[in-house]
Amino acid sequence: MNALAPAAAPPVTAATPAMNPRTRLLLHGPILPTLLRLAWPSTLVMLAQASVGLIETWWVAHLGSDALAGMALVFPGFMMMQMLSNGALGGGIASAIARALGAGKQEQADALVLHALVINGLLGLAASALFLTKGEAIYRALGGEGAALEAALRYSDVVFAGSLLVWLGNALASVLRGGGNMLLPATAIIAGVVVLVPLSPLLIFGWGPVPALGIAGAGWAVVAGSGLTAMVLAWAVLSGRSLARLRAARLRWPLFADILKVGLVASISTLQTTLTVAMTTALVARAGGADAVAGYGTGSRLEYLLVPLVFGLGAPLVAMVGTNVGAGQRARALRIALTGGALAFAVTESLGLAAAFFPTAWLGLFGDDPRMIEAGTAYLQHVGPAYGFFGLGLSLYFASQGAGKLFWPLAAGMLRLAIAVLGGWAAFAITGSLDWVFVTLAAGLVVYGALVAGSIASGVWFKEGK
């Protein structure tokens, strides 16, 4: 029997419940128009969040270099928490709900909402406990000391005291996305952004009766924005605007496992990405020194901006693929994934080629040091043309979350890590050239995207054990 052959549809009877229009769109709507229709809210939100991060950093910079350094120490941990709660565990939540709805299992979809909140709630409390009790040790290990360390702790203690709001908000957003609703999560997140933008300078510098809280004020603005976002999302789910509804249900291990089998593997992928960046930064430092690190870090910021851009496509891919897999429409699920992958490749490759041809247009935004510009230009000219493969692999990683099959994206990520780090060390040892280090980074991206795309196109999702 063909692995991609659709499962037989259940007979339609008078007792068959009417299909929700949103589910019908995911199962039967034209693929590319539906994908674009669902993608724009998520893309807009991710760009808005990236912009807010830059704006908040700009305000904190007015407090001096120690405050800016303190915020930089906290940023990796906070971003890791966002990626885990939204992209990794959030992907597991959306995938499980999409597959349940696609299979017509409404009771299971409803029960998954409670299980999702329990998982993210416990992890949110764990994140708070970790950074509130071990924050100083973590930031010292990252090089924090003196006034910078003090600023980091003032900011960290506030944002991680409120981290439960981030985890619960992202769980609720994932519940909505699992049902194909991208607009409400986007609206809720933008509401939080609208609050954060004016509140941050108000609390940092004070005005009238509002005291100046310094860098802690920036943290309280983040907590307030996260709280408003979580409230709007809770209202959306509780008021029936979600296809999966929060109801009292008995906690069952199979439902926890349905979320975690995707979410935990996706978490490994997130940690993998972080490890790749950390180790390649160390490699570049060894090969070219501080100036090379500055150039590499400035150039690779563009790569970081590709992640939220691809997530805009990735969120609807989770819902569309998951719903179709749940309904037994395997061939359509595969077409959706490959369509999304091709679109992500086109967008990210265009940006990568533009950066390769005009590197100073990007690098000049962050400084004009000649040695930084030289190293950053070398990075963009060698790695930029491979950005399309990064976008291809990342988009199909999200599609694989929807299918509940993450083996090949995880394996490809490990291979990328090995090529970038081990290959980079070997290239530098043989040639002594930083250019060849960047060539290995590009090769890692090409292999990553090509392996994920090739494996999924061959039908591995629907082969036992893959």
Side-chain angles (χ1 to χ4, degrees), residues 167-246:
W167 284 85
L168 292 179
N170 283 333
L172 293 166
S174 300
V175 166
L176 289 158
R177 292 188 186 113
N181 189 335
M182 309 295 154
L183 187 58
L184 262 176
T187 302
I189 292 170
I190 288 175
V193 167
V194 168
V195 166
L196 187 149
V197 168
L199 194 60
S200 186
L202 174 64
L203 296 179
I204 291 172
F205 304 109
W207 186 70
V210 179
L213 301 177
I215 195 171
W220 282 113
V222 170
V223 172
S226 300
L228 179 60
T229 295
M231 288 175 58
V232 173
L233 290 167
W235 164 82
V237 171
L238 293 172
S239 63
R241 285 162 174 79
S242 169
L243 295 188
R245 302 170 182 85
L246 178 62

Side-chain angles (χ1 to χ4, degrees), residues 18-262:
M19 182 182 295
N20 184 276
R22 189 175 291 121
T23 302
R24 185 183 300 111
L25 177 68
L26 299 181
L27 291 174
H28 305 295
I31 291 175
L32 184 58
T34 301
L35 184 58
L36 293 174
R37 172 181 171 182
L38 295 177
W40 75 262
S42 298
T43 303
L44 178 64
V45 162
M46 297 310 292
L47 292 175
Q49 286 184 315
S51 299
V52 164
L54 293 174
I55 292 170
E56 188 180 36
T57 301
W58 188 78
W59 283 119
V60 170
H62 287 72
L63 295 174
S65 58
D66 288 330
L68 195 59
M71 190 177 188
L73 291 171
V74 180
F75 181 76
F78 189 78
M79 284 305 298
M80 176 67 71
M81 180 181 70
Q82 285 277 21
M83 292 168 66
L84 290 173
S85 62
N86 196 26
L89 273 302
I93 293 165
S95 172
I97 287 175
R99 285 182 275 111
L101 291 171
K105 299 176 180 178
Q106 184 65 52
E107 183 275 334
Q108 180 174 317
D110 292 346
L112 281 165
V113 179
L114 178 61
H115 289 71
L117 291 172
V118 169
I119 291 172
N120 269 29
L122 291 175
L123 290 173
L125 292 174
S128 290
L130 173 64
F131 281 93
L132 290 176
T133 60
K134 303 296 182 182
E136 182 173 357
I138 292 171
Y139 303 135
R140 283 189 185 279
L142 292 174
E145 57 183 19
L149 177 61
E150 183 181 346
L153 291 172
R154 287 203 304 270
Y155 182 70
S156 176
D157 287 348
V158 174
V159 295
F160 283 105
S163 64
L164 180 62
L165 296 171
V166 174
W167 284 85
L168 292 179
N170 283 333
L172 293 166
S174 300
V175 166
L176 289 158
R177 292 188 186 113
N181 189 335
M182 309 295 154
L183 187 58
L184 262 176
T187 302
I189 292 170
I190 288 175
V193 167
V194 168
V195 166
L196 187 149
V197 168
L199 194 60
S200 186
L202 174 64
L203 296 179
I204 291 172
F205 304 109
W207 186 70
V210 179
L213 301 177
I215 195 171
W220 282 113
V222 170
V223 172
S226 300
L228 179 60
T229 295
M231 288 175 58
V232 173
L233 290 167
W235 164 82
V237 171
L238 293 172
S239 63
R241 285 162 174 79
S242 169
L243 295 188
R245 302 170 182 85
L246 178 62
R247 302 181 190 276
R250 180 172 57 88
L251 295 179
R252 291 171 275 170
W253 170 247
L255 297 187
F256 284 122
D258 202 20
I259 294 172
L260 293 174
K261 73 178 184 182
V262 174

